[in-house]
């Protein structure tokens, strides 16, 4: 029971950190205006780590690769520490297991990206029905536009209801079920 609680706390801590670093990178990529309170919160929460890493990892094309690196490092730490808590024999296993751990980290990062994407799409859809002119609506629209715009060209609205969020949620769930689950099984087989 103590092991489960430790795993849970570890996952919460590193997933929240990874989400913050990932959102900072994604908000710069989607050009979300940083004058809104949500963006300011993300910047303030992540500045302690992003600023020092920026000295080593420069940005390119207006993207903050320091945030992306910290996102991946948080996921790698989560994967490694959760295996260490379960008693994985790192010293006995040798270096041949590291490609499996790197692949497992990539899968964990992609799963987290999809889960956050599903949450953002769901929040944006609900907010568009309840209060489309809310202060955070512009931020959610900017964050979900890259996911929903391509679908809106092919998925017609029915009775004034945009069905692209539903299609996006289904597609993201399918990606979680089919390719990522298989990739995770393969990575676990390497370790």
């Amino acid at each position: 029971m103590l092991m489960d609680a430790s795993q849970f706390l570890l996952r919460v801590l590193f997933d929240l950190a990874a989400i913050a670093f990932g959102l900072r990178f994604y908000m710069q990529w989607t050009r979300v205006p940083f004058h809104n309170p949500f963006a300011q919160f993300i910047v303030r929460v992540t500045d302690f780590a992003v600023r020092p890493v920026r000295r080593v990892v420069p940005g390119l094309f207006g993207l903050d690769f320091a945030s992306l690196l910290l996102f991946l490092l948080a996921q790698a730490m989560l994967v490694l520490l959760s295996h260490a808590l379960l008693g994985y024999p790192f010293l006995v296993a040798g270096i041949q297991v590291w490609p499996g751990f790197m692949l497992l980290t990539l899968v964990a990062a992609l799963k987290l990206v999809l889960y956050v994407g599903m949450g953002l799409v769901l929040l944006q859809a609900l907010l568009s029905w309840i209060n489309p002119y809310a202060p955070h609506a512009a931020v959610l629209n900017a964050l979900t536009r890259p996911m929903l715009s391509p679908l809106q060209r092919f998925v017609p609205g029915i009775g004034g209801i945009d069905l692209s969020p539903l299609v996006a949620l289904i597609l993201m769930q399918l990606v979680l079920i089919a390719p990522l689950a298989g990739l995770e099984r393969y990575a676990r087989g390497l370790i």
Side-chain angles (χ1 to χ4, degrees), residues 11-180:
R11 178 164 298 284
V12 167
L13 177 71
F14 281 100
D15 274 349
L16 285 176
I19 288 169
F21 293 129
L23 277 175
R24 183 167 177 159
F25 175 80
Y26 185 64
M27 287 191 310
Q28 284 184 329
W29 180 56
T30 57
R31 306 288 188 242
V32 171
F34 275 86
H35 64 271
N36 64 68
F38 179 71
Q40 290 298 315
F41 170 75
I42 294 295
V43 168
R44 286 193 181 112
V45 165
T46 58
D47 251 359
F48 78 96
V50 171
R51 284 187 185 262
V53 174
R54 258 195 207 146
R55 293 183 199 133
V56 180
V57 180
L60 189 63
F61 305 117
L63 296 176
D64 185 15
F65 285 106
S67 298
L68 183 62
L69 176 66
L70 288 167
F71 166 73
L72 292 171
L73 282 175
Q75 287 298 288
M77 292 299 295
L78 173 62
V79 167
L80 293 174
L81 288 174
S82 61
H83 278 81
L85 272 176
L86 294 173
Y88 187 83
F90 287 101
L91 296 176
V92 176
I95 64 168
Q96 65 268 16
V97 297
W98 288 106
F101 278 112
M102 287 191 284
L103 188 57
L104 204 54
T105 297
L106 180 64
V107 168
L110 291 173
K111 284 172 69 174
L112 186 62
V113 164
L114 287 171
Y115 285 130
V116 170
M118 287 191 286
L120 289 172
V121 167
L122 191 60
L123 279 173
Q124 191 272 338
L126 290 173
L127 193 61
S128 72
W129 293 340
I130 297 169
N131 187 3
Y133 304 107
H136 295 300
V139 174
L140 285 171
N141 285 336
L143 289 172
T144 58
R145 188 176 317 117
M147 294 177 266
L148 298 180
S149 290
L151 295 174
Q152 288 169 341
R153 287 185 230 139
F154 300 108
V155 179
I158 297 177
I161 304 286
D162 181 17
L163 296 178
S164 63
L166 178 64
V167 173
L169 290 171
I170 291 170
L171 289 175
M172 285 187 261
Q173 195 66 29
L174 282 174
V175 170
L176 281 169
I177 291 170
L180 281 182

